[in-house]
Amino acid sequence: MPEKIAVEMRGVTKRYPRVLACDGVDLSVRQGEIHAIIGENGAGKSTLMKILYGMVRPDEGSIKLNGKPLIGHSASDSIKLGLGMVHQHFMLIDPFTVAENVVLGIEPTKAGLFIDGRAARERVERLSTEYGLALDPDERIENLSVGLEQRAEIVKVLYRGADILILDEPTGVLTPQEVTELFVVLRALRESGRTIIFITHKLNEVIELADRVTVMRDGSVTGVVSAAETTPEELATMMVGRDVLLRVERQEATLGEPVLTVSKLSALGRKGTHVLENVDLEIRSGEILGIAGVQGNGQTELVDAITGLHATSSGSVTLSGTDITNLKPRAIRDLGVAHVPEDRLERGIVPDFSVAENLLLGHHHRAGYSHRGLINVAKMEEHARTLIAEHDIRPADPSISAAHLSGGNQQKLIVAREFDGAPTLLIASQPTRGVDIGAIEFVHTSILKKRDAGVAVLLVSAELSEIMTLSDRIAVMYGGRIVAEFEGGTVSEEELGRYMTGAGDSGDEPVRNRPLDDNSPGQAAAGGEA
Amino acid sequence: MSPPGALGTITRARKSDGAGKLVSLLSPLVAVLAAFLVGGLVVAAIGESPLRFYSVLFRGAFGSVDGIGLVLFNATPLIFAGLAVAFAFRSGLFNIGGEGQLYIGSFVCAWAALKMPGAPAVLLIPVLILASAAGGALWAAIPGYLKARFGVHEVINTIMMNFIAVALTGYLVVEIFKEPGQMTPQTAVIPVAGELPRLAGFFQSIAVPLPNANPLNASFLIALVAVWLAWFILYRTTLGYEIRAVGHNTSAAEYAGINVRRTLVMAMLLSGAFAGLVATNEIMGFRHRFLDNFSSGIGFMGIAVALLGRNSPLGVLFAALLFGVLNTGALEVDIFTDVPRELILVVQAVTIILVVVGNEIVRRRLAGGAQKRRPSKEGLEAS
Amino acid sequence: RQSTPSQGTDAFKVGMVFDVGGKGDKSFNDSAYRGLLRIADDFEIEHTEFEPGQDADRETGLRKLAQAGFDVIIGVGFLFSDSMRSVSADYPDVRFACVDFDVRQDEVLPDNLAGLVFREEEGSFLVGVVAGLKSETGRVGFIGGMDVPLIHRFEAGFIAGAKHANPAVSVTVGYAGSTPQAFADPAKGKELAMLQYGRGVDIIYHASGNTGIGVIEAARETGNFAIGVDSNQNYMAPGHVLTSMVKRVDNAVYAVILAAYENRFEGGLREFGLAEDGVSYAMDDYNAGLISDAIVEAVEAAKAGIIAQEIDVPRE
Amino acid sequence: MFELVVLDSALRMATPLILASLGGLFSERSGVVNIALEGILLTGAFASILATYFTGDPWVGVAAGIFAGMLVSLIHAAVTVIFKADQIVSGVAINLLAAGATQFLTWITWGSSSNSPTVGGMARWSLPETWGPVARGINVVIGHYPPLVYVALAAVAAAHVVLWHTPFGLRLRATGEHPSAVDALGVSVRKMRFAGILLSGALAGLGGAFLALNTHQFVKNMSAGRGYIALAAMIFGKWNPVGAALACLLFGYAEAVQMGLQGQQVPSQFVQMIPYVLTMVALVGVIGRARPPAALGKPY
Ligand SMILES: Nc1ncnc2c1ncn2[C@@H]1O[C@H](COP(=O)(O)OP(=O)(O)OP(=O)(O)O)[C@@H](O)[C@H]1O
Ligand SMILES: Nc1ncnc2c1ncn2[C@@H]1O[C@H](COP(=O)(O)OP(=O)(O)OP(=O)(O)O)[C@@H](O)[C@H]1O
Ligand SMILES: [Mg+2]
Ligand SMILES: [Mg+2]
């Protein structure tokens, strides 16, 4: 096969106000290959691809497409040149049909004026049969599953005649079954001569699918390797810049009484489907339960159901013997549940509030801060100064607005607030998402300190290494159910991965690597109610 | 909860540091000056002297103690109406219904006064102030509730309720409460005990020669208290904290255990109460009865005032004073120059447009070092 | 604003504040304005006029004029009644006149305030006679502006006149609304008239200020007749305006200013009826062909009867 | 209350509402709230009388109304699309501006800030009678209403076709739903929004022209809240041209009935409330939840 270069990026640099998103990046993709780009959160992968696609203008650097230089191109230029991009966040219009989404912008017309609906439908059908992307062109996007939405995105790109496809984290939101199907499609596309650039965090996928891999860290490229000649470990080292697993000092757990007992918990999602099904969990005081799973398998709903933010349809949640099922969020908080939410900006902080005000969020009604409906401003500021000092939040100014803190410091703020006030149960959802290494270490140490102080911790993370490092016990969620449960340190990353992808799913009962004892979730729940 | 509103979100004034703060304070000032310039150009274009135009305008407002009294009098209802908009804005709601709320507040005020003919002033005045606030609050609570409970956008509902309030009070005053034997669609005069005192006497006693006929009355003092109260509620009470939290980030508020629905309804209630207090000036202080259609858009002007005041209570006070100056001067201009008063409306409108545009420009300039937002919010919501 | 008064000169100065509907309504306000222009022409009189922007400006505007040394200040329309009472009390040296003053029972006006009121029912009676005789369908209509006693007088006189001429005639009545805005809504006036014409009415008398412009438009569009009010509106749709009930606000305004100018102004209520030439019906080239001599004779007979108090015209 | 005259009246009164709500529709489908409809109606009304007054041709007036509407909407477009300022605030300011500017210009042109002189109206459509009885028959139909009534009805059909059957309509709706998706496909969001807002101005300006030319005169504030009612009708009609037009007809009918009911015991104020109360009830969900374009009100 002649080695023609499809995409050639040289010295691409992009500066954002506070970050150097891409720092002199070189990327070379051969025609007809599947080229993976990997890197941690914020490494600059999406930015690089947006630059290639013409949605973001680089500050420096040059781009060549099939040997021809691209200068100041726009997204529509890229489309004309045969570039297509499936974005990390899908760009589909919910109330439109698949066909309408596909043809938008290049509509087939009758009499040069009206949209030719039949032609649009036929073209979509032809494309979907050709590449095995089964899709109903007349179905509205809002009725599609995520996997089908992604197919629509791919058809959209193919409709525009793309021969270079960029897929930004296509598997992050897919079920394992859907991932397998996607890979079939991508291989078929490669067979047809197309070039594919594929961004992912999952190293196994890279090894399985890609021909070559470019690894990024902190905005620069740390290596380009052939997938056949590397291992996940090697890739991970290149990604993070040192040994993969973070080593944290941890002592043996001293277990106490059960704190959280979740029993036969089910909940419905927006479309009326089960997002949680018969979930059983138990966490004792002084114990960390880690929940592993691919995003979108019910972890968010589980946390929300426990904290009163998502209504449950059946089952119960018990906190130290008190039934808290479907209580109001404030009531649950007041019973000693702290919660580091998975989405910092969406939930964790009020960006326009000052740091001091943010540090009061959720505690603001409590005695000491609030008296007869009045906020004790002096107390609020004193509280803020203490927490800022304890957690080294920078800059150390309680009056600055939280929007102006860096992501890591925002996360520290949330951790400071939620860890304060002696919780009995601590729920930490993606506690280190998008934060720098230093902050990660700080958060991990804080979580362990809480555990050692006898707090029950529910840790939800997409980062397997995080789960493996911190958890005393690990549960795996898949399709809204707990499919497996392990003692910490008794299971390998591969094995976990197998369950996470549904591969180890044998039946309704979760797999456990230890005999069910007296403290099995079901019985504990019954005991709690008695 | 909190489904996306029918009309989307409101861009919020953002807090900015140091030099940014200065620039964002200066930008409305620059906008006002630019709007004056536009007005001057129009005046020149129709062949009149802009200098004379503005000198007449400012003479009307500042040329005499009487003029200054009129400025304060004209500013009073705008302070209330502006506070109503600004307060609701803090909870993320856009209350366009000040007009309707002040009609209902005023009607309830007049009605309560007529129902208590023998009551002494010490009783009647507080009762009427509360009645005014309650009337406005009640009217505002309806769209607030519909927003909180059904997610119906408050903008449409408050507009609808403006029309309904005008028709309803029109019906009540024309068909039921009209002063017998009179043509004017107005109620009878409220008892003297319910009247707020004019301030002329007080000012004369401290040697400020405010004429007896000047309509400035104690309602202005109530307005000043209301400014303080609005600030105090927002920044010093738990409720205010919750209102602002909901306004800035609804899902964070929900996560923090704040009852978002209740907070929205409370914010609207208080907002409507401020609008209803317009009655203290119009009914208790000045007209001493409810006159059909008396307002001619005070509620809508409140939107402009709030905007110009960047939705802060103190800002509302200053913006209302500016509009008071313009309205007072407008009459003078109308009578004593060949330029019609409508030009002042144009100046006010241009001011608002320049202020919002200026805000955005300043925000974008400042955003350079400060923005920490997601690159693509839309993408996030769609996926 | 024809001549902007120079403050501080000794010239005799008159200020006029208009009603809702404003200058250019071709009706009530314009009639008052004509009176002002006429006297300003006849004598050395400076004058200024304006339309209040907000309700509170009614009173403030009157005060501003009084402070600025105006000799006579005229408020056009009953909405000024309250403000006139209070401002005239504050400025006893300035003379005030209010058109259509909304007088209270047993009210005694101060020396410096003249209330100018008209016996509109008498003029309305005459145009009612015209309508009663002219109607071919036997159905005539009345459209009022704001639903208030003042306008009820027009309605009552018109109905009485029509029945006087033709006892079998039926009268359809409509009002544009119950707020002052009802005098300034020609779109609504037109639709109200279209409805009446559509139901067989062939002559409509309007007493609705600006709103009536729409009534006259509807007459033209449907080929029917309208009867104008306040000013002579015959010219507005030649061939379709049968006549106009002219309310001589101009004469009243002229007279009251003249009295002040000649230093013989007296406060109190001044009534203008047929006898005082305060109301009448308009005959000119535009409607000469529409009104037969027989009709003119009948109208003149009714007029004589009213002046002689042989015909009793109801007020409501 | 189904007399022909009442229905006729309803249709005529619905006409400016229909045009304005179609205008609102194009703007909001592109994602831009248009509270400025009220001011655009008013400006269109003023411009149409001004042009008719000076040219004597009401059709020139119509063109002027459309043009003026577009001019005003251009301000809205600039403020909201280029400067990305708040759309509601811009609309409120434009309404204030339109009220002041039209009165000011009326005063400059005719010396009264309340009223213009009357101008010649628009002749009804008709074929020459000499063409025989068929022409006369056709005239009964096409001459029954003022010409712009037919134009408005045709505009409803045209809007439906444009929105649902043309590439432009698809892109416009897509812009209102998900602008970044449209952007990613290389379609300019800015252009689509400008187009939507300008169309909005043209249609509402036409509505204003009807309002004024039908009464042959400009009167201050003659839009009298119709812009807001049109907005309500658009929502009531769930952002669909046909639905919006039906809602306008309903509102027009309520008003006509109110006039027709005079003399009977229903207080007019209550009949006046009908459209507003109906809208509120409709929004709460009696006729199903109205779903606005997803990106409505969000600057892009
Ligand atoms: N529009 C923007 N404005 C400011 N900063 C931005 C913008 N877009 C991206 N960034 C920043 O640039 C850096 C790189 O972001 P990018 O989205 O490319 O990361 P990524 O590698 O795709 O991460 P992830 O795996 O989380 O998707 C991050 O620090 C991000 O916060
Ligand atoms: N009515 C008032 N009385 C006393 N102090 C006030 C009043 N209004 C505002 N302040 C003071 O001025 C400060 C600035 O107020 P402002 O409402 O403008 O804040 P801001 O910068 O707009 O904040 P944000 O919009 O983030 O809430 C307040 O924090 C308060 O201390
Ligand atoms: Mg990315
Ligand atoms: Mg502020």
Side-chain angles (χ1 to χ4, degrees):
Chain A
M1 204 175 12
E3 298 235 322
K4 277 182 71 180
I5 300 298
V7 174
E8 173 99 67
M9 300 178 84
R10 285 264 165 268
V12 170
T13 297
K14 175 72 195 175
R15 287 180 202 93
Y16 280 119
R18 296 217 168 163
V19 282
L20 195 52
C22 293
D23 184 9
V25 174
D26 293 339
L27 176 72
S28 159
V29 180
R30 293 175 193 149
Q31 197 169 54
E33 75 169 346
I34 295 182
H35 191 108
I37 300 179
I38 60 169
E40 292 189 306
N41 290 134
K45 309 178 294 287
S46 295
T47 305
L48 187 70
M49 290 302 106
K50 284 182 186 161
I51 289 171
L52 173 60
Y53 189 60
M55 284 178 81
V56 168
R57 204 133 296 195
D59 296 321
E60 284 161 37
S62 66
I63 306 171
K64 276 188 197 165
L65 202 65
N66 295 321
K68 276 180 293 221
L70 272 184
I71 298 162
H73 64 303
S74 68
S76 48
D77 296 333
S78 306
I79 293 169
K80 286 192 201 100
L81 292 168
L83 259 178
M85 179 153 174
V86 174
H87 296 268
Q88 187 167 5
H89 308 295
F90 293 158
M91 299 275 192
L92 292 168
I93 295 146
D94 272 349
F96 284 19
T97 65
V98 170
E100 283 171 334
N101 268 286
V102 169
V103 300
L104 184 65
I106 318 179
E107 303 84 355
T109 54
K110 286 184 293 209
L113 254 163
F114 305 107
I115 296 178
D116 188 343
R118 169 143 18 118
R121 214 169 300 130
E122 279 168 3
R123 309 256 294 263
V124 172
E125 269 164 1
R126 206 178 320 134
L127 284 170
S128 48
T129 40
E130 199 172 330
Y131 299 100
L133 290 154
L135 259 185
D136 175 2
D138 291 324
E139 191 58 79
R140 288 181 194 285
I141 298 294
E142 56 204 356
N143 301 331
L144 298 184
S145 68
V146 185
L148 288 179
E149 284 186 13
Q150 191 173 59
R151 285 187 185 173
E153 280 282 17
I154 295 173
V155 171
K156 223 167 100 179
V157 167
L158 294 176
Y159 173 79
R160 284 167 174 72
D163 43 32
I164 303 171
L165 278 77
I166 305 164
L167 292 99
D168 193 350
E169 280 189 48
T171 57
V173 287
L174 297 187
T175 62
Q177 181 58 33
E178 286 168 334
V179 171
T180 316
E181 287 166 12
L182 174 68
F183 284 3
V184 172
V185 171
L186 294 182
R187 288 196 185 99
L189 286 169
R190 178 173 58 186
E191 292 317 306
S192 72
R194 290 185 169 81
T195 308
I196 291 165
I197 304 174
F198 179 90
I199 298 178
T200 185
H201 287 293
K202 295 173 193 157
L203 307 179
N204 298 330
E205 286 176 358
V206 173
I207 306 285
E208 183 185 343
L209 184 71
D211 299 308
R212 291 197 310 143
V213 191
T214 295
V215 186
M216 289 181 73
R217 183 172 72 232
D218 283 347
S220 2
V221 171
T222 49
V224 182
V225 291
S226 157
E229 295 160 11
T230 186
T231 59
E233 288 71 26
E234 191 188 352
L235 288 175
T237 311
M238 282 197 277
M239 252 167 81
V240 184
R242 57 179 156 109
D243 250 2
V244 202
L245 293 184
L246 289 156
R247 292 282 163 229
V248 191
E249 293 277 314
R250 55 175 301 188
Q251 282 133 24
E252 201 54 37
T254 40
L255 296 190
E257 289 300 300
V259 174
L260 177 75
T261 313
V262 173
S263 151
K264 298 263 172 290
L265 195 69
S266 297
L268 300 179
R270 208 156 41 96
K271 291 174 187 170
T273 51
H274 268 92
V275 285
L276 285 184
E277 232 180 315
N278 287 328
V279 171
D280 288 323
L281 281 180
E282 187 198 66
I283 312 173
R284 297 167 159 227
S285 123
E287 178 183 39
I288 298 177
L289 173 69
I291 299 213
V294 177
Q295 201 182 334
N297 276 291
Q299 302 96 313
T300 308
E301 288 81 2
L302 174 64
V303 169
D304 284 2
I306 295 172
T307 52
L309 294 163
H310 191 118
T312 64
S313 56
S314 64
S316 72
V317 183
T318 312
L319 186 73
S320 310
T322 315
D323 184 3
I324 60 165
T325 323
N326 288 334
L327 286 188
K328 291 245 185 300
R330 175 171 294 180
I332 294 174
R333 278 183 162 273
D334 288 350
L335 286 169
V337 176
H339 174 193
V340 176
E342 69 176 5
D343 191 320
R344 206 159 49 219
L345 279 181
E346 203 60 32
R347 270 195 183 160
I349 61 166
V350 178
D352 293 289
F353 267 15
S354 68
V355 168
E357 284 172 322
N358 267 296
L359 283 169
L360 210 58
L361 199 64
H363 306 292
H364 63 277
H365 61 286
R366 296 199 178 140
Y369 305 120
S370 167
H371 180 64
R372 297 186 183 199
L374 301 187
I375 294 263
N376 186 340
V377 177
K379 198 71 183 267
M380 172 175 90
E381 272 161 17
E382 184 198 315
H383 171 245
R385 272 195 206 94
T386 318
L387 289 185
I388 287 173
E390 266 175 27
H391 291 82
D392 188 29
I393 297 170
R394 292 181 209 179
D397 175 2
S399 70
I400 196 174
S401 86
H404 295 171
L405 297 183
S406 72
N409 277 296
Q410 287 175 343
Q411 191 69 10
K412 281 195 216 164
L413 186 162
I414 296 169
V415 168
R417 179 183 72 211
E418 296 303 318
F419 285 30
D420 183 49
T424 53
L425 171 67
L426 174 65
I427 301 175
S429 257
Q430 320 290 358
T432 57
R433 176 182 281 176
V435 305
D436 59 70
I437 301 275
I440 290 177
E441 231 140 38
F442 170 78
V443 170
H444 285 180
T445 331
S446 304
I447 291 176
L448 285 172
K449 263 197 217 146
K450 278 288 162 194
R451 172 197 88 153
D452 295 342
V455 175
V457 179
L458 177 65
L459 172 71
V460 178
S461 177
E463 301 289 323
L464 269 191
S465 59
E466 183 164 87
I467 295 277
M468 308 265 299
T469 319
L470 297 177
S471 308
D472 299 312
R473 259 183 319 128
I474 300 172
V476 184
M477 275 195 92
Y478 175 72
R481 301 188 303 120
I482 304 279
V483 291
E485 214 183 298
F486 305 96
E487 284 294 335
T490 66
V491 62
S492 70
E493 213 168 305
E494 286 69 34
E495 201 175 345
L496 276 183
R498 217 155 45 75
Y499 285 104
M500 281 167 63
T501 57
D505 189 14
S506 48
D508 283 343
E509 277 304 301
V511 178
R512 289 170 209 277
N513 73 335
R514 56 176 173 140
L516 293 175
D517 57 21
D518 294 345
N519 292 320
S520 75
Q523 288 176 14
E529 272 158 18
Chain B
M1 84 133 274
S2 179
L7 291 164
T9 50
I10 301 160
T11 50
R12 298 188 178 83
R14 290 193 178 81
K15 201 163 230 167
S16 37
D17 309 316
K21 195 109 192 170
L22 187 68
V23 177
S24 50
L25 282 179
L26 278 178
S27 86
L29 271 181
V30 173
V32 170
L33 290 180
F36 274 23
L37 194 70
V38 171
L41 290 178
V42 175
V43 171
I46 61 167
E48 300 289 333
S49 152
L51 226 59
R52 175 166 153 70
F53 173 77
Y54 282 116
S55 74
V56 169
L57 194 151
F58 289 115
R59 188 193 65 205
F62 300 117
S64 61
V65 176
D66 189 32
I68 294 171
L70 281 173
V71 168
L72 301 184
F73 169 73
N74 281 327
T76 305
L78 297 180
I79 296 173
F80 292 121
L83 285 179
V85 179
F87 195 89
F89 198 90
R90 291 287 166 181
S91 70
L93 293 174
F94 198 16
N95 179 9
I96 292 201
E99 187 78 354
Q101 290 145 23
L102 70 87
Y103 268 108
I104 300 293
S106 298
F107 189 86
V108 171
C109 173
W111 173 81
L114 293 171
K115 282 280 163 197
M116 305 174 65
V122 280
L123 176 67
L124 195 53
I125 287 181
V127 166
L128 293 189
I129 293 173
L130 286 179
S132 309
L138 184 85
W139 205 246
I142 297 171
Y145 175 77
L146 293 178
K147 165 83 176 190
R149 177 70 184 77
F150 301 102
V152 186
H153 202 288
E154 73 283 359
V155 165
I156 295 291
N157 272 340
T158 49
I159 289 175
M160 296 297 118
M161 294 196 56
N162 284 339
F163 288 113
I164 297 174
V166 172
L168 183 65
T169 54
Y171 168 77
L172 291 170
V173 72
V174 171
E175 304 290 336
I176 300 179
F177 291 99
K178 188 157 74 180
E179 189 182 14
Q182 289 280 291
M183 289 187 269
T184 318
Q186 57 190 13
T187 62
V189 177
I190 63 170
V192 178
E195 293 180 7
L196 284 177
R198 294 202 168 183
L199 295 184
F202 164 75
F203 277 109
Q204 285 160 10
S205 75
I206 55 167
V208 178
L210 188 68
N212 283 324
N214 193 291
L216 181 65
N217 59 77
S219 173
F220 177 68
L221 305 179
I222 298 178
L224 293 182
V225 173
V227 170
W228 175 82
L229 196 66
W231 168 82
F232 186 80
I233 294 174
L234 284 173
Y235 293 96
R236 288 293 179 272
T237 66
T238 321
L239 176 66
Y241 179 92
E242 297 190 341
I243 285 175
R244 289 183 298 125
V246 169
H248 285 312
N249 188 345
T250 308
S251 44
E254 208 181 1
Y255 147 89
I258 294 170
N259 184 336
V260 173
R261 292 181 178 188
R262 197 190 125 247
T263 307
L264 287 177
V265 174
M266 283 304 292
M268 273 307 267
L269 263 172
L270 287 166
S271 165
F274 284 119
L277 285 174
V278 166
T280 58
N281 190 53
E282 302 294 310
I283 310 295
M284 300 172 70
F286 173 58
R287 210 167 277 108
H288 302 148
R289 51 163 124 224
F290 182 91
L291 168 70
D292 193 18
N293 258 303
F294 71 85
S295 156
S296 58
I298 293 169
F300 292 104
M301 278 296 175
I303 301 169
V305 165
L307 197 78
L308 202 58
R310 318 196 95 219
N311 292 299
S312 91
L314 214 53
V316 163
L317 175 61
F318 286 117
L321 288 173
L322 173 69
F323 275 39
V325 168
L326 289 176
N327 285 344
T328 306
L331 184 63
E332 199 88 357
V333 161
D334 205 19
I335 301 177
F336 297 111
T337 75
D338 286 346
V339 184
R341 62 170 298 121
E342 285 75 28
L343 185 61
I344 303 294
L345 273 183
V346 175
V347 171
Q348 288 172 343
V350 172
T351 306
I352 298 169
I353 292 174
L354 292 179
V355 166
V356 281
V357 168
N359 280 353
E360 287 307 309
I361 293 174
V362 168
R363 199 176 60 77
R364 267 190 252 173
R365 280 284 139 76
L366 298 180
Q371 279 267 313
K372 266 275 169 180
R373 309 222 163 261
R374 285 291 161 93
S376 154
K377 216 50 183 161
E378 261 106 78
L380 277 178
E381 279 157 16
S383 58
Chain C
R1 296 180 189 85
Q2 299 294 314
S3 61
T4 300
S6 39
Q7 283 183 305
T9 63
D10 299 335
F12 193 79
K13 293 190 290 190
V14 178
M16 180 174 272
V17 194
F18 289 114
D19 197 359
V20 180
K23 195 155 82 177
D25 69 349
K26 302 184 187 61
S27 179
F28 182 64
N29 289 292
D30 276 0
S31 182
Y33 187 47
R34 262 197 312 279
L36 176 64
L37 289 184
R38 215 164 67 218
I39 195 161
D41 238 26
D42 292 351
F43 300 91
E44 272 292 291
I45 288 177
E46 288 187 357
H47 62 93
T48 191
E49 331 69 46
F50 71 94
E51 302 166 26
Q54 46 187 38
D55 175 69
D57 280 358
R58 257 190 263 279
E59 180 162 336
T60 314
L62 293 175
R63 279 181 51 214
K64 290 256 173 191
L65 289 171
Q67 282 166 2
F70 278 72
D71 299 280
V72 180
I73 297 166
I74 297 173
V76 183
F78 65 82
L79 281 174
F80 287 93
S81 309
D82 255 9
S83 313
M84 279 284 175
R85 281 186 191 102
S86 60
V87 179
S88 65
D90 291 341
Y91 298 90
D93 298 337
V94 181
R95 276 142 299 179
F96 296 86
C98 181
V99 180
D100 284 347
F101 188 75
D102 195 1
V103 70
R104 290 179 211 283
Q105 224 165 5
D106 306 323
E107 181 177 8
V108 178
L109 296 184
D111 288 344
N112 64 333
L113 173 58
L116 312 179
V117 296
F118 297 81
R119 290 199 296 276
E120 294 89 354
E121 65 278 10
E122 296 183 354
S124 302
F125 188 92
L126 300 189
V127 299
V129 171
V130 175
L133 293 174
K134 180 82 182 177
S135 173
E136 286 174 9
T137 60
R139 301 184 64 174
V140 299
F142 173 82
I143 291 177
M146 187 173 168
D147 197 349
V148 285
L150 172 69
I151 305 302
H152 295 165
R153 292 216 292 271
F154 290 78
E155 178 194 335
F158 179 71
I159 295 175
K163 301 251 187 210
H164 175 82
N166 173 8
V169 82
S170 78
V171 187
T172 310
V173 175
Y175 280 89
S178 46
T179 67
Q181 198 54 35
F183 288 120
D185 193 349
K188 185 139 193 194
K190 181 169 181 184
E191 286 304 332
L192 276 170
M194 295 294 274
L195 270 167
Q196 293 199 358
Y197 289 133
R199 290 169 169 176
V201 166
D202 61 351
I203 301 171
I204 298 175
Y205 171 43
H206 87 86
S208 59
N210 226 325
T211 302
I213 291 173
V215 177
I216 293 172
E217 240 0 281
R220 170 158 57 194
E221 213 169 288
T222 59
N224 286 298
F225 294 116
I227 296 176
V229 81
D230 294 346
S231 294
N232 180 351
Q233 300 184 319
N234 295 0
Y235 72 96
M236 284 174 59
H240 295 287
V241 183
L242 212 43
T243 179
S244 303
M245 196 294 277
V246 183
K247 178 167 162 182
R248 300 305 299 261
V249 181
D250 52 343
N251 285 352
V253 164
Y254 191 100
V256 78
I257 297 173
L258 186 64
Y261 188 70
E262 295 174 344
N263 253 325
R264 50 181 180 77
F265 182 94
E266 278 174 36
L269 212 56
R270 208 83 40 81
E271 268 201 27
F272 299 85
L274 278 177
E276 296 83 7
D277 214 13
V279 291
S280 69
Y281 69 106
M283 289 298 299
D284 56 19
D285 290 349
Y286 293 106
N287 67 342
L290 303 176
I291 312 254
S292 68
D293 291 345
I295 296 180
V296 174
E297 267 169 41
V299 175
E300 285 300 327
K303 179 174 177 181
I306 293 169
I307 293 175
Q309 296 188 337
E310 284 155 12
I311 298 175
D312 190 26
V313 184
R315 281 173 73 89
E316 52 191 293
Chain D
M1 283 286 82
F2 293 99
E3 257 178 293
L4 191 61
V5 281
V6 175
L7 295 177
D8 280 352
S9 184
L11 184 51
R12 280 190 304 263
M13 283 192 286
T15 297
L17 299 180
I18 290 175
L19 288 167
S21 65
L22 287 182
L25 198 66
F26 276 105
S27 173
E28 303 224 337
R29 279 286 180 183
S30 80
V32 180
V33 179
N34 200 347
I35 285 198
L37 286 181
E38 177 76 7
I40 298 174
L41 270 175
L42 196 58
T43 318
F46 170 79
S48 68
I49 294 298
L50 186 76
T52 311
Y53 179 82
F54 285 111
T55 63
D57 184 348
W59 286 102
V60 176
V62 169
I66 294 175
F67 180 73
M70 292 174 77
L71 217 59
V72 176
S73 65
L74 205 58
I75 302 178
H76 193 49
V79 173
T80 59
V81 180
I82 296 180
F83 291 104
K84 305 189 202 308
D86 187 80
Q87 300 169 357
I88 295 174
V89 170
S90 168
V92 169
I94 286 174
N95 290 342
L96 198 62
L97 181 67
T102 53
Q103 286 181 59
F104 181 71
L105 292 171
T106 307
W107 178 83
I108 292 197
T109 322
W110 297 296
S112 153
S113 46
S114 292
N115 302 285
S116 78
T118 41
V119 299
M122 209 173 263
R124 297 282 166 98
W125 273 330
S126 66
L127 301 172
E129 295 272 322
T130 50
W131 289 11
V134 178
R136 250 171 273 149
I138 292 175
N139 283 351
V140 171
V141 179
I142 64 170
H144 190 68
Y145 296 108
L148 291 185
V149 172
Y150 300 98
V151 171
L153 294 179
V156 176
H160 177 85
V161 171
V162 166
L163 280 175
W164 269 273
H165 297 287
T166 67
F168 171 78
L170 187 73
R171 295 173 191 187
L172 192 80
R173 288 186 289 128
T175 309
E177 293 290 340
H178 197 337
S180 46
V182 172
D183 203 20
L185 293 178
V187 176
S188 161
V189 171
R190 190 177 275 206
K191 272 188 204 150
M192 292 317 295
R193 290 200 163 170
F194 257 83
I197 299 172
L198 282 178
L199 263 176
S200 181
L203 284 161
L206 181 62
F210 173 84
L211 202 59
L213 287 170
N214 197 39
T215 41
H216 303 245
Q217 189 193 19
F218 177 78
V219 180
K220 76 172 173 191
N221 291 329
M222 74 185 302
S223 48
R226 286 182 178 84
Y228 295 111
I229 299 187
L231 207 64
M234 177 198 71
I235 294 169
F236 204 169
K238 298 186 176 183
W239 284 269
N240 286 330
V242 176
L246 288 176
C248 292
L249 285 170
L250 182 65
F251 292 171
Y253 181 67
E255 218 181 328
V257 166
Q258 181 246 316
M259 291 184 189
L261 277 179
Q262 288 220 346
Q264 286 155 52
Q265 289 313 307
V266 190
S268 62
Q269 294 93 345
F270 284 112
V271 189
Q272 278 162 25
M273 288 180 206
I274 290 175
Y276 316 119
V277 175
L278 265 184
T279 305
M280 292 182 64
V281 171
L283 285 179
V284 168
V286 169
I287 60 156
R289 284 287 279 284
R291 172 168 140 171
L296 185 58
K298 293 176 189 150
Y300 181 78

